[in-house]
Amino acid sequence: MKGFCPRKGKGKGCKWCEGAPDSAGKGKGGGVWQPQFQKSWGGSSWGGKGKGKGKGKTPAKKTDNALKVWVGGLPQKFSFKALQAHFDQAGKSTWAEGGKGGNGSVCYTTEAEVYNAITLLSGSVFEGSILQVDTWVKKPTKGGS
């Protein structure tokens, strides 16, 4: 419907709909109408990583260090559910995760379960890899103290 302005009526145009391919109020420049959440602002879109994405959201960071075990010797690719199921042999684990270099952590609700995991699962085989299980020790800060 060329020449139609929703504000002014048929045959009349305004600055608001000027330049739209079908004069249906799409603004200057034509283009395809997109919902607001799909439009980009300032050259970037909302599809990328946002502020604070992935920082401090895992339950492992919120769990007391006495209720975590350190796990070493993890294979490069594995299922975290399978890791948690493996560590459920020592007691009900609440969270299991792997990190860089074949290291990871598993969280429990009691210190007795942590002790069981260290004694029972250290040296156990998980998906073809021999695991090392030890108490969780917080990394020293870069300042050296």
Side-chain angles (χ1 to χ4, degrees):
M1 294 185 6
K2 276 263 192 228
F4 177 78
C5 174
R7 293 174 149 183
K8 301 257 185 177
K10 188 172 182 167
K12 298 179 181 174
C14 69
K15 290 182 181 180
W16 178 71
C17 62
E18 190 176 85
D22 62 358
S23 296
K26 291 187 173 101
K28 291 187 179 185
V32 177
W33 182 84
Q34 293 179 339
Q36 188 64 33
F37 66 87
Q38 289 182 341
K39 293 181 181 179
S40 63
W41 294 347
S44 66
S45 66
W46 285 14
K49 288 189 176 183
K51 182 178 177 183
K53 183 174 176 108
K55 293 183 180 179
K57 303 215 186 237
T58 66
K61 291 195 179 208
K62 297 176 184 175
T63 304
D64 185 27
N65 291 341
L67 299 176
K68 289 191 260 188
V69 294
W70 172 84
V71 183
L74 290 170
Q76 283 187 346
K77 293 183 180 181
F78 64 92
S79 164
F80 297 107
K81 288 185 178 185
L83 179 66
Q84 189 170 9
H86 183 76
F87 275 83
D88 280 347
Q89 298 175 58
K92 181 68 178 143
S93 60
T94 58
W95 183 259
E97 67 182 9
K100 295 179 183 174
N103 297 322
S105 65
V106 179
C107 302
Y108 290 98
T109 54
T110 65
E111 290 184 28
E113 291 171 330
V114 170
Y115 177 77
N116 285 342
I118 294 169
T119 55
L120 292 173
L121 300 174
S122 187
S124 65
V125 178
F126 172 69
E127 294 186 6
S129 297
I130 299 173
L131 298 181
Q132 302 166 6
V133 184
D134 202 357
T135 58
W136 181 267
V137 178
K138 189 176 179 180
K139 277 186 179 179
T141 59
K142 289 185 179 181
S145 57

